[in-house]
Amino acid sequence: MKTFLILIFTFFNFVVCGQSNKELYFITGHPLTRTDDLFESVLWRYDRDSSALIRHLQLCGSEEQLSNIKMYVELGYFTLMKSNSWRQEQPYDSLLVFNTNSMELKRASVGKTGYGIVDYANNYLLKLSDVSLVVFDLIGQESDSRLYNSYEINNLKYSDSVDLQLYKNIYLTGFMGGNIVGSDYILSYSREEDGYLEIIVTGDRSKRPCFPYELPEQFRFNSSSRHTVSINNDDIFLVNGRKETKKDSLGTRQVVIFDKKKEEWSELILSGNLSRIRGFSDWLCGYIGDDNKSLLNKPLPGSSLWQDRATGLSPAIRYERMYAPGILYFYNPSTGVYFELETKQADSEVVLIQNEKVIYRVYDELYEAKLVNGKKLASVKLLLKDDRVPDIHWAFYR
C-alpha cells in the first residue's frame, strides 16, 4: 500500500511539474498597413528565473512589411505573411509557417505567380480528414476568377488548384487586441431559404460552399446579408449576429454559437457592439469595444500611458475608431460560465488560454493566472513589464 501511494504521488508530481515546467513563448509584431513605420517581429522565450524575454528567432526584419500573424494554438502552428516588395529592387512576398512542436520555421511561398500575394488577409488554415492542414493564400485579383494556392503544412507540398468546397473545413480563431490586421475570420452570406451560411470566396453564388451547420429558426437572419464567422475550431462554431448601437452608452452584439460536442445552439449578447472575440478550444474571450460616435470623444482608460516606443507605435493608432472601457470577458458555451475582468486599461487583451492557464496583457504588462474549476481566475502573477509588451498579441506553451 505504501509503495502504491508513493507511485501515485510520484505520478501526480510528474504531471504537475511537467505542466508547470512548460516553456512559454511570445511573439511581438506590429502588423498595421496604415503606417510607414516598420518594426521587427520576434519570437521570444520567456525566462521565468529572470522574468525576461530571451530572443529566440527573428520572424520579420525592420525593412519588411509584416502583414499578419495567425496563431493556431491547438493545432501547433502559426502562419506569418511578410513582404519587402515596396522597398527593395528585388521584391518578394513570403508565407511562412512555424511548427510550435518542432520549433521549425519554413517558407511556403515566394510569389509563385506574376501577381505575388496581393491580399494577405485571405490566407487560411483548413483542417481536413485526409490532410492534416492546408494553407490557402489568395493570389488573384478578379473577384469572380480568383486563383488559390494550397500548401500541405506538414511537408509544404504545393498545389495550384483548389476545390472551393474545402472551405467548409476552414479553421478560424477570431480577433486579437485592437484593430490589428491579421485577425482570423471570414465573411459569410445568410440565405433566406434556409439556415445555412454561404462562404464568400467567389462572386458566383452557385459555386459558394456553405458551412455544414444550419442555424435553427430562432437564430436565423430575416434577410440575406453579410455576417462575420470568427470562430470555427474543434469545439465551437460562432457567427456574429445583430448589432445594436445605443445613443450615449455601449451597445450590444449578438453572437450565435454552436457547441460541437454537445450539438447545441445558443446565443450570447455581448456588451459593446464590436464583437472582438477570440477562441481557444472551448473558451471564448475578448474585450468590450464599441464604435458609437458619441463615445469616441471619451478618453480611453489608461491612454495617458501610451507612447511611441523604439519597438512600436502607440496603441492609439489601433483605437482610432472605437471606444474600449478596459473590460475583458470569458465565456465557456459548454458550461455556461461567463465572467469579466476589469483592467481599467483600454489596451488590454487575452493572449492565450491553454492548460488551464490564462495569459492576458494590460498595455505594457503581461499576467499569468490559473483558471480555477473553469469558473474564475486566481493566483494572478505579473510575468513582465516591458516596452515590447504592447506588441505581444500571440503566445504558446511548449
Side-chain angles (χ1 to χ4, degrees):
M1 183 66 180
K2 183 178 180 180
T3 303
F4 177 75
L5 291 175
I6 291 174
L7 288 173
I8 292 294
F9 176 79
T10 303
F11 175 76
F12 177 79
N13 190 57
F14 172 79
V15 171
V16 172
C17 292
Q19 290 180 342
S20 61
N21 289 336
K22 283 183 176 291
E23 291 189 325
L24 181 58
Y25 291 84
F26 296 108
I27 301 172
T28 53
H30 209 288
L32 291 169
T33 57
R34 292 180 291 120
T35 175
D36 291 333
D37 298 279
L38 300 178
F39 304 92
E40 68 173 355
S41 177
V42 177
L43 174 64
W44 305 91
R45 178 177 63 83
Y46 176 71
D47 184 79
R48 292 185 181 274
D49 293 332
S50 60
S51 299
L53 295 177
I54 309 299
R55 179 183 288 259
H56 182 82
L57 179 66
Q58 178 177 295
L59 300 172
C60 183
S62 58
E63 292 299 314
E64 298 171 307
Q65 174 72 59
L66 174 63
S67 296
N68 68 55
I69 299 173
K70 295 185 178 181
M71 172 65 74
Y72 304 90
V73 174
E74 296 86 1
L75 303 182
Y77 293 96
F78 66 80
T79 61
L80 177 90
M81 302 291 294
K82 65 179 183 178
S83 171
N84 73 341
S85 59
W86 64 298
R87 288 200 169 194
Q88 303 295 327
E89 294 181 359
Q90 296 180 333
Y92 63 78
D93 294 317
S94 294
L95 168 59
L96 303 175
V97 177
F98 189 88
N99 185 320
T100 62
N101 295 312
S102 64
M103 300 297 283
E104 291 182 321
L105 181 68
K106 295 183 179 180
R107 185 186 304 272
S109 170
V110 191
K112 288 183 175 292
T113 72
Y115 292 114
I117 301 173
V118 298
D119 191 340
Y120 291 93
N122 283 279
N123 69 93
Y124 299 108
L125 291 188
L126 304 190
K127 188 172 184 182
L128 309 176
S129 58
D130 55 340
V131 179
S132 298
L133 297 167
V134 180
V135 175
F136 280 62
D137 60 282
L138 171 64
I139 58 174
Q141 294 178 328
E142 298 297 330
S143 60
D144 292 330
S145 60
R146 292 177 175 176
L147 302 174
Y148 295 84
N149 288 338
S150 69
Y151 303 87
E152 184 179 333
I153 281 198
N154 285 340
N155 57 20
L156 300 187
K157 182 180 179 182
Y158 169 76
S159 173
D160 60 3
S161 61
V162 173
D163 180 2
L164 293 183
Q165 292 298 318
L166 293 179
Y167 269 87
K168 294 178 180 179
N169 301 303
I170 196 168
Y171 203 95
L172 302 168
T173 60
F175 298 86
M176 66 285 294
N179 295 320
I180 300 176
V181 176
S183 295
D184 198 29
Y185 64 91
I186 198 166
L187 292 176
S188 65
Y189 203 88
S190 58
R191 307 201 309 188
E192 293 183 87
E193 61 269 27
D194 55 36
Y196 287 102
L197 298 169
E198 298 176 0
I199 306 171
I200 307 178
V201 290
T202 176
D204 187 344
R205 292 193 64 183
S206 65
K207 296 180 180 179
R208 287 179 185 169
C210 290
F211 284 106
Y213 312 108
E214 184 179 13
L215 275 70
E217 289 190 12
Q218 67 266 35
F219 297 134
R220 292 179 188 177
F221 306 108
N222 294 329
S223 60
S224 297
S225 55
R226 288 190 175 190
H227 299 274
T228 301
V229 175
S230 52
I231 311 292
N232 190 28
N233 58 29
D234 290 342
D235 299 287
I236 296 167
F237 174 80
L238 181 147
V239 57
N240 299 296
R242 64 179 179 274
K243 170 182 177 180
E244 180 182 3
T245 300
K246 297 182 179 180
K247 185 177 181 181
D248 297 311
S249 62
L250 292 172
T252 61
R253 169 71 83 165
Q254 174 204 39
V255 293
V256 180
I257 304 163
F258 181 62
D259 185 325
K260 296 182 182 180
K261 292 183 178 179
K262 297 175 69 174
E263 296 188 349
E264 293 179 356
W265 287 92
S266 63
E267 70 172 354
L268 175 67
I269 305 300
L270 293 171
S271 179
N273 62 21
L274 294 177
S275 55
R276 297 305 188 202
I277 194 163
R278 196 171 184 181
F280 294 102
S281 295
D282 56 348
W283 278 96
L284 301 172
C285 57
Y287 61 96
I288 293 175
D290 202 295
D291 63 1
N292 187 339
K293 292 182 179 180
S294 66
L295 299 176
L296 298 184
N297 293 326
K298 293 182 62 175
L300 290 166
S303 59
S304 60
L305 301 175
W306 299 354
Q307 58 185 344
D308 288 347
R309 297 152 288 112
T311 55
L313 299 174
S314 165
I317 192 173
R318 302 200 304 262
Y319 292 88
E320 289 177 346
R321 301 182 183 91
M322 65 179 296
Y323 175 76
I327 299 175
L328 303 178
Y329 61 85
F330 302 80
Y331 178 61
N332 188 314
S334 294
T335 63
V337 170
Y338 177 92
F339 63 91
E340 295 180 348
L341 175 65
E342 185 176 2
T343 66
K344 299 181 180 179
Q345 167 58 254
D347 185 36
S348 55
E349 64 176 312
V350 180
V351 177
L352 176 66
I353 302 178
Q354 189 178 3
N355 299 330
E356 300 303 312
K357 291 183 179 179
V358 175
I359 304 292
Y360 63 94
R361 182 180 64 82
V362 181
Y363 182 47
D364 61 353
E365 298 176 334
L366 276 172
Y367 293 88
E368 182 181 62
K370 290 184 179 179
L371 190 56
V372 179
N373 298 325
K375 294 182 178 181
K376 62 180 181 179
L377 299 184
S379 302
V380 179
K381 176 185 177 181
L382 175 64
L383 294 178
L384 183 68
K385 181 179 176 63
D386 191 279
D387 281 349
R388 294 165 289 188
V389 170
D391 295 316
I392 289 178
H393 312 286
W394 310 269
F396 61 92
Y397 290 100
R398 180 181 181 272

Coordinates of all heavy atoms in Angstrom, one line a residue, residues 83-148:
S83 N 6.5 41.0 -46.5 CA 6.9 41.4 -47.9 C 7.9 42.6 -47.8 O 7.8 43.3 -46.8 CB 5.6 41.9 -48.7 OG 6.0 42.5 -49.9
N84 N 8.7 42.6 -48.7 CA 9.6 43.8 -48.9 C 9.4 44.4 -50.3 O 10.2 45.2 -50.7 CB 11.1 43.5 -48.6 CG 11.7 42.7 -49.8 OD1 10.9 42.1 -50.6 ND2 13.0 42.7 -49.9
S85 N 8.3 44.1 -50.9 CA 8.1 44.4 -52.3 C 8.0 45.9 -52.6 O 8.2 46.4 -53.7 CB 6.8 43.7 -52.8 OG 5.7 44.1 -52.1
W86 N 7.7 46.7 -51.5 CA 7.5 48.1 -51.8 C 8.8 48.9 -51.4 O 8.8 50.1 -51.5 CB 6.3 48.6 -50.9 CG 6.5 48.5 -49.5 CD1 6.7 47.4 -48.7 CD2 6.5 49.6 -48.5 NE1 6.8 47.7 -47.4 CE2 6.7 49.1 -47.2 CE3 6.4 51.0 -48.7 CZ2 6.8 49.8 -46.1 CZ3 6.5 51.8 -47.5 CH2 6.7 51.2 -46.2
R87 N 9.9 48.2 -51.0 CA 11.1 48.9 -50.7 C 12.3 48.4 -51.4 O 13.3 49.1 -51.4 CB 11.3 48.8 -49.2 CG 10.4 49.6 -48.3 CD 10.9 49.8 -46.9 NE 10.1 50.8 -46.2 CZ 10.5 51.4 -45.1 NH1 11.7 51.1 -44.5 NH2 9.7 52.3 -44.5
Q88 N 12.3 47.2 -51.9 CA 13.5 46.6 -52.5 C 13.5 46.5 -54.0 O 12.4 46.4 -54.6 CB 13.7 45.3 -51.8 CG 13.8 45.3 -50.3 CD 15.0 46.0 -49.8 OE1 16.1 46.0 -50.4 NE2 14.9 46.7 -48.7
E89 N 14.7 46.5 -54.6 CA 14.8 46.3 -56.1 C 14.4 44.9 -56.4 O 14.0 44.6 -57.5 CB 16.2 46.7 -56.5 CG 16.5 48.1 -56.4 CD 17.9 48.4 -56.9 OE1 18.6 47.5 -57.4 OE2 18.3 49.6 -56.8
Q90 N 14.7 43.9 -55.5 CA 14.4 42.5 -55.8 C 13.3 42.1 -54.8 O 13.6 41.6 -53.7 CB 15.6 41.6 -55.6 CG 16.7 41.9 -56.7 CD 17.9 41.0 -56.5 OE1 18.2 40.5 -55.4 NE2 18.5 40.7 -57.6
P91 N 12.0 42.4 -55.1 CA 10.9 42.2 -54.1 C 10.6 40.8 -53.9 O 10.8 39.9 -54.8 CB 9.8 43.0 -54.8 CG 10.1 42.9 -56.2 CD 11.6 43.0 -56.4
Y92 N 10.0 40.5 -52.8 CA 9.5 39.1 -52.5 C 8.3 39.2 -51.6 O 8.1 40.2 -50.8 CB 10.5 38.2 -51.9 CG 11.0 38.6 -50.6 CD1 10.3 38.4 -49.4 CD2 12.3 39.3 -50.4 CE1 10.7 38.8 -48.2 CE2 12.7 39.7 -49.2 CZ 12.0 39.4 -48.0 OH 12.4 39.8 -46.8
D93 N 7.4 38.3 -51.7 CA 6.3 38.1 -50.8 C 6.5 36.7 -50.1 O 6.9 35.8 -50.8 CB 4.9 38.1 -51.5 CG 4.6 39.5 -52.1 OD1 4.9 40.4 -51.4 OD2 4.1 39.5 -53.2
S94 N 6.3 36.6 -48.9 CA 6.6 35.3 -48.2 C 5.4 34.9 -47.3 O 4.8 35.7 -46.6 CB 7.8 35.5 -47.3 OG 8.9 35.7 -48.0
L95 N 5.0 33.7 -47.4 CA 4.1 33.0 -46.5 C 5.0 32.0 -45.7 O 5.5 31.0 -46.3 CB 3.0 32.3 -47.2 CG 2.2 31.3 -46.4 CD1 1.5 32.0 -45.3 CD2 1.1 30.6 -47.4
L96 N 5.1 32.2 -44.4 CA 6.0 31.4 -43.5 C 5.1 30.6 -42.6 O 4.1 31.1 -42.1 CB 7.0 32.2 -42.8 CG 7.9 33.1 -43.6 CD1 8.7 34.0 -42.7 CD2 8.8 32.3 -44.5
V97 N 5.5 29.4 -42.3 CA 4.8 28.5 -41.4 C 5.7 28.1 -40.3 O 6.8 27.6 -40.5 CB 4.2 27.3 -42.1 CG1 3.5 26.4 -41.2 CG2 3.3 27.7 -43.2
F98 N 5.3 28.2 -39.0 CA 6.1 27.8 -37.9 C 5.4 26.7 -37.1 O 4.2 26.8 -36.8 CB 6.3 29.0 -36.9 CG 7.3 28.7 -35.8 CD1 8.6 29.0 -36.0 CD2 6.9 28.2 -34.6 CE1 9.6 28.7 -35.0 CE2 7.8 28.0 -33.6 CZ 9.1 28.2 -33.8
N99 N 6.1 25.6 -36.9 CA 5.6 24.5 -36.2 C 6.0 24.6 -34.7 O 7.2 24.6 -34.4 CB 6.1 23.2 -36.8 CG 5.5 21.9 -36.1 OD1 5.4 21.8 -34.9 ND2 5.3 20.9 -37.0
T100 N 5.1 24.8 -33.8 CA 5.4 25.0 -32.4 C 5.9 23.8 -31.7 O 6.4 23.8 -30.6 CB 4.2 25.6 -31.6 OG1 3.1 24.7 -31.7 CG2 3.8 26.9 -32.3
N101 N 5.7 22.6 -32.3 CA 6.2 21.4 -31.7 C 7.6 21.1 -32.0 O 8.4 20.8 -31.2 CB 5.3 20.2 -32.1 CG 3.9 20.3 -31.6 OD1 3.6 20.6 -30.5 ND2 2.9 20.1 -32.5
S102 N 7.9 21.3 -33.3 CA 9.3 21.1 -33.8 C 10.1 22.4 -33.7 O 11.4 22.3 -33.8 CB 9.4 20.6 -35.2 OG 8.8 21.5 -36.1
M103 N 9.5 23.5 -33.5 CA 10.1 24.8 -33.4 C 10.8 25.1 -34.7 O 11.9 25.7 -34.7 CB 11.0 25.0 -32.2 CG 10.4 24.8 -30.9 SD 9.1 26.0 -30.5 CE 10.1 27.4 -30.1
E104 N 10.2 24.7 -35.9 CA 10.8 25.0 -37.2 C 10.0 26.0 -37.9 O 8.8 26.0 -37.9 CB 10.9 23.7 -38.0 CG 11.9 22.6 -37.4 CD 11.9 21.4 -38.3 OE1 10.8 21.0 -38.8 OE2 13.0 20.8 -38.5
L105 N 10.7 26.9 -38.6 CA 10.1 27.9 -39.5 C 10.4 27.6 -40.9 O 11.6 27.4 -41.3 CB 10.6 29.3 -39.1 CG 10.1 30.5 -40.0 CD1 8.6 30.7 -39.6 CD2 10.9 31.7 -39.7
K106 N 9.4 27.4 -41.7 CA 9.6 27.1 -43.1 C 8.8 28.1 -44.0 O 7.8 28.6 -43.7 CB 9.0 25.7 -43.4 CG 9.8 24.6 -42.7 CD 9.2 23.2 -43.1 CE 10.0 22.1 -42.4 NZ 9.5 20.7 -42.8
R107 N 9.4 28.3 -45.2 CA 8.8 29.2 -46.2 C 8.0 28.4 -47.1 O 8.4 27.5 -47.7 CB 9.9 29.9 -47.0 CG 9.4 31.0 -47.9 CD 10.6 31.6 -48.8 NE 11.6 32.1 -48.0 CZ 11.7 33.3 -47.5 NH1 10.7 34.2 -47.8 NH2 12.7 33.7 -46.8
A108 N 6.7 28.8 -47.2 CA 5.8 28.1 -48.1 C 5.6 28.7 -49.5 O 5.4 28.1 -50.4 CB 4.4 28.1 -47.4
S109 N 5.9 30.1 -49.6 CA 5.6 30.7 -50.8 C 6.5 31.9 -51.0 O 6.9 32.6 -50.1 CB 4.2 31.2 -50.9 OG 4.0 32.0 -52.0
V110 N 7.0 32.1 -52.3 CA 7.7 33.3 -52.6 C 7.1 33.9 -53.9 O 7.8 34.1 -54.9 CB 9.2 33.0 -52.8 CG1 10.0 34.3 -52.9 CG2 9.8 32.1 -51.7
G111 N 5.8 34.2 -53.8 CA 5.2 34.7 -55.0 C 5.3 33.9 -56.2 O 6.0 34.3 -57.2
K112 N 4.6 32.8 -56.3 CA 4.8 31.8 -57.4 C 4.2 32.3 -58.7 O 4.5 31.8 -59.8 CB 4.1 30.5 -57.0 CG 4.9 29.7 -55.9 CD 4.3 28.4 -55.7 CE 5.1 27.6 -54.7 NZ 6.4 27.2 -55.2
T113 N 3.3 33.3 -58.7 CA 2.7 33.8 -59.9 C 3.1 35.2 -60.2 O 3.8 35.8 -59.3 CB 1.2 33.7 -59.9 OG1 0.8 34.7 -59.0 CG2 0.7 32.4 -59.4
G114 N 2.7 35.8 -61.3 CA 3.0 37.1 -61.6 C 2.3 38.1 -60.7 O 2.8 39.3 -60.5
Y115 N 1.3 37.7 -60.0 CA 0.6 38.6 -59.1 C 1.3 38.8 -57.8 O 1.2 39.8 -57.2 CB -0.8 38.0 -58.8 CG -1.8 37.9 -59.9 CD1 -2.2 36.7 -60.5 CD2 -2.3 39.1 -60.5 CE1 -3.1 36.7 -61.5 CE2 -3.2 39.1 -61.5 CZ -3.6 37.9 -62.1 OH -4.4 37.9 -63.1
G116 N 2.0 37.8 -57.4 CA 2.5 37.8 -56.0 C 1.3 37.6 -55.0 O 0.2 37.3 -55.5
I117 N 1.6 37.7 -53.8 CA 0.5 37.6 -52.8 C -0.1 38.9 -52.6 O 0.5 39.8 -51.9 CB 1.0 36.9 -51.5 CG1 1.6 35.6 -51.8 CG2 -0.1 36.8 -50.5 CD1 2.3 35.0 -50.6
V118 N -1.3 39.2 -53.1 CA -1.8 40.6 -53.1 C -2.8 40.8 -52.0 O -3.1 42.0 -51.7 CB -2.4 40.9 -54.4 CG1 -1.4 40.8 -55.5 CG2 -3.6 40.0 -54.8
D119 N -3.4 39.8 -51.4 CA -4.4 40.0 -50.3 C -4.0 39.1 -49.1 O -4.4 38.0 -49.1 CB -5.8 39.6 -50.8 CG -6.8 40.1 -49.9 OD1 -6.5 40.3 -48.7 OD2 -8.0 40.2 -50.3
Y120 N -3.3 39.7 -48.2 CA -2.7 39.0 -47.1 C -3.8 38.5 -46.1 O -3.5 37.5 -45.4 CB -1.7 39.8 -46.4 CG -0.5 40.1 -47.2 CD1 -0.3 41.2 -47.9 CD2 0.6 39.2 -47.2 CE1 0.8 41.5 -48.7 CE2 1.7 39.4 -47.9 CZ 1.8 40.6 -48.7 OH 3.0 40.8 -49.4
A121 N -4.9 39.1 -46.1 CA -5.9 38.7 -45.1 C -6.6 37.3 -45.5 O -7.2 36.7 -44.7 CB -7.0 39.7 -45.0
N122 N -6.4 36.9 -46.8 CA -7.0 35.7 -47.2 C -6.2 34.4 -47.2 O -6.2 33.6 -48.1 CB -7.6 35.9 -48.7 CG -8.8 36.8 -48.6 OD1 -9.9 36.3 -48.4 ND2 -8.7 38.1 -48.8
N123 N -5.3 34.3 -46.3 CA -4.7 33.0 -46.1 C -5.3 32.3 -44.9 O -5.5 33.0 -43.8 CB -3.1 33.2 -45.9 CG -2.8 33.8 -44.6 OD1 -2.5 33.2 -43.6 ND2 -2.7 35.2 -44.6
Y124 N -5.6 31.1 -45.0 CA -6.4 30.4 -44.0 C -5.8 29.0 -43.8 O -5.1 28.4 -44.7 CB -7.9 30.2 -44.4 CG -8.6 31.5 -44.6 CD1 -8.9 32.0 -45.9 CD2 -8.9 32.3 -43.5 CE1 -9.6 33.2 -46.1 CE2 -9.6 33.5 -43.7 CZ -9.9 33.9 -45.0 OH -10.6 35.1 -45.1
L125 N -6.1 28.4 -42.7 CA -5.9 27.0 -42.4 C -7.1 26.2 -42.6 O -8.2 26.7 -42.1 CB -5.3 26.8 -41.0 CG -3.9 27.4 -40.7 CD1 -3.4 26.9 -39.3 CD2 -2.9 26.9 -41.8
L126 N -7.0 25.1 -43.2 CA -8.2 24.2 -43.3 C -7.8 22.9 -42.7 O -6.7 22.3 -42.9 CB -8.6 23.9 -44.8 CG -8.9 25.1 -45.7 CD1 -9.4 24.6 -47.0 CD2 -9.8 26.1 -45.0
K127 N -8.7 22.4 -41.8 CA -8.4 21.1 -41.1 C -9.2 20.0 -41.9 O -10.5 20.1 -41.9 CB -8.8 21.2 -39.7 CG -8.4 19.9 -38.9 CD -8.7 20.1 -37.4 CE -8.2 18.9 -36.7 NZ -8.4 18.9 -35.2
L128 N -8.5 19.1 -42.5 CA -9.2 18.1 -43.3 C -9.0 16.7 -42.7 O -8.1 16.5 -41.9 CB -8.5 18.1 -44.7 CG -8.5 19.5 -45.4 CD1 -7.8 19.4 -46.7 CD2 -9.9 20.0 -45.6
S129 N -9.8 15.8 -43.2 CA -9.7 14.4 -42.7 C -8.5 13.7 -43.2 O -7.9 12.9 -42.6 CB -11.0 13.6 -43.0 OG -11.3 13.6 -44.4
D130 N -8.2 13.9 -44.5 CA -7.2 13.2 -45.2 C -5.8 14.0 -45.2 O -4.8 13.4 -45.5 CB -7.6 12.8 -46.6 CG -8.0 14.0 -47.4 OD1 -8.3 15.0 -46.8 OD2 -8.0 13.9 -48.6
V131 N -5.9 15.3 -45.0 CA -4.7 16.1 -45.0 C -4.7 16.9 -43.7 O -5.7 17.4 -43.3 CB -4.7 17.1 -46.2 CG1 -3.4 18.0 -46.2 CG2 -4.8 16.3 -47.5
S132 N -3.6 16.9 -43.0 CA -3.5 17.5 -41.7 C -4.0 18.9 -41.7 O -5.0 19.3 -41.1 CB -2.1 17.4 -41.1 OG -1.7 16.1 -41.0
L133 N -3.3 19.8 -42.4 CA -3.6 21.2 -42.5 C -3.2 21.7 -43.9 O -2.3 21.3 -44.5 CB -2.8 22.0 -41.5 CG -3.0 21.7 -40.0 CD1 -2.0 22.3 -39.1 CD2 -4.4 22.2 -39.6
V134 N -4.0 22.7 -44.3 CA -3.7 23.3 -45.6 C -3.7 24.8 -45.4 O -4.6 25.4 -44.8 CB -4.7 22.9 -46.7 CG1 -4.3 23.6 -48.0 CG2 -4.7 21.4 -46.9
V135 N -2.8 25.5 -46.0 CA -2.8 27.0 -46.0 C -3.2 27.5 -47.4 O -2.8 26.9 -48.4 CB -1.4 27.6 -45.8 CG1 -1.4 29.1 -45.9 CG2 -0.9 27.2 -44.4
F136 N -4.2 28.4 -47.4 CA -4.6 29.0 -48.7 C -4.2 30.5 -48.7 O -4.3 31.2 -47.7 CB -6.1 29.0 -48.7 CG -6.7 27.6 -49.2 CD1 -6.5 26.5 -48.4 CD2 -7.4 27.5 -50.3 CE1 -7.0 25.3 -48.8 CE2 -7.9 26.3 -50.7 CZ -7.7 25.2 -49.9
D137 N -3.7 30.9 -49.8 CA -3.4 32.3 -50.0 C -4.0 32.8 -51.3 O -3.9 32.2 -52.3 CB -1.9 32.7 -49.9 CG -1.1 32.0 -50.9 OD1 -0.9 30.8 -50.8 OD2 -0.7 32.6 -51.9
L138 N -4.7 33.9 -51.2 CA -5.3 34.5 -52.4 C -4.3 35.2 -53.3 O -3.5 36.0 -52.8 CB -6.4 35.5 -52.0 CG -7.0 36.4 -53.1 CD1 -7.8 35.5 -54.0 CD2 -7.9 37.4 -52.5
I139 N -4.2 34.8 -54.6 CA -3.2 35.4 -55.4 C -3.9 36.1 -56.7 O -3.2 36.8 -57.4 CB -2.2 34.4 -55.9 CG1 -2.9 33.2 -56.7 CG2 -1.4 33.9 -54.7 CD1 -1.9 32.3 -57.3
G140 N -5.2 35.9 -56.9 CA -5.8 36.5 -58.0 C -6.4 37.9 -57.6 O -6.5 38.2 -56.4
Q141 N -6.8 38.7 -58.6 CA -7.3 40.0 -58.3 C -8.7 40.2 -58.7 O -9.4 41.1 -58.2 CB -6.4 41.0 -59.1 CG -5.0 41.1 -58.6 CD -4.2 42.1 -59.3 OE1 -4.4 42.3 -60.5 NE2 -3.2 42.7 -58.7
E142 N -9.2 39.3 -59.6 CA -10.6 39.5 -60.1 C -11.5 38.7 -59.1 O -11.3 37.5 -58.8 CB -10.8 38.9 -61.5 CG -10.0 39.7 -62.5 CD -10.4 41.1 -62.6 OE1 -11.6 41.4 -62.4 OE2 -9.5 42.0 -62.9
S143 N -12.6 39.3 -58.6 CA -13.4 38.7 -57.6 C -14.1 37.5 -58.1 O -14.4 36.6 -57.3 CB -14.5 39.7 -57.1 OG -15.3 40.2 -58.2
D144 N -14.4 37.4 -59.4 CA -15.1 36.2 -59.9 C -14.2 35.2 -60.5 O -14.6 34.2 -61.1 CB -16.1 36.7 -61.0 CG -17.3 37.5 -60.4 OD1 -17.6 37.2 -59.2 OD2 -17.8 38.4 -61.0
S145 N -12.9 35.5 -60.6 CA -12.0 34.5 -61.2 C -10.7 34.4 -60.3 O -9.6 34.5 -60.8 CB -11.6 34.9 -62.6 OG -11.0 36.2 -62.6
R146 N -10.9 34.2 -59.0 CA -9.8 34.2 -58.1 C -9.0 32.9 -58.2 O -9.6 31.8 -58.5 CB -10.3 34.4 -56.7 CG -10.8 35.7 -56.4 CD -11.4 35.8 -55.0 NE -11.8 37.2 -54.6 CZ -12.4 37.5 -53.5 NH1 -12.6 36.6 -52.6 NH2 -12.7 38.8 -53.3
L147 N -7.7 33.0 -58.0 CA -6.9 31.8 -58.0 C -6.4 31.6 -56.6 O -6.1 32.5 -55.9 CB -5.6 32.1 -58.9 CG -6.0 32.4 -60.4 CD1 -4.7 32.7 -61.1 CD2 -6.7 31.2 -61.1
Y148 N -6.3 30.3 -56.2 CA -5.9 30.0 -54.9 C -4.7 28.9 -55.0 O -4.8 28.0 -55.7 CB -7.0 29.4 -54.1 CG -8.2 30.3 -53.8 CD1 -9.2 30.5 -54.8 CD2 -8.2 31.1 -52.7 CE1 -10.2 31.4 -54.6 CE2 -9.3 32.0 -52.4 CZ -10.2 32.1 -53.4 OH -11.3 33.0 -53.2

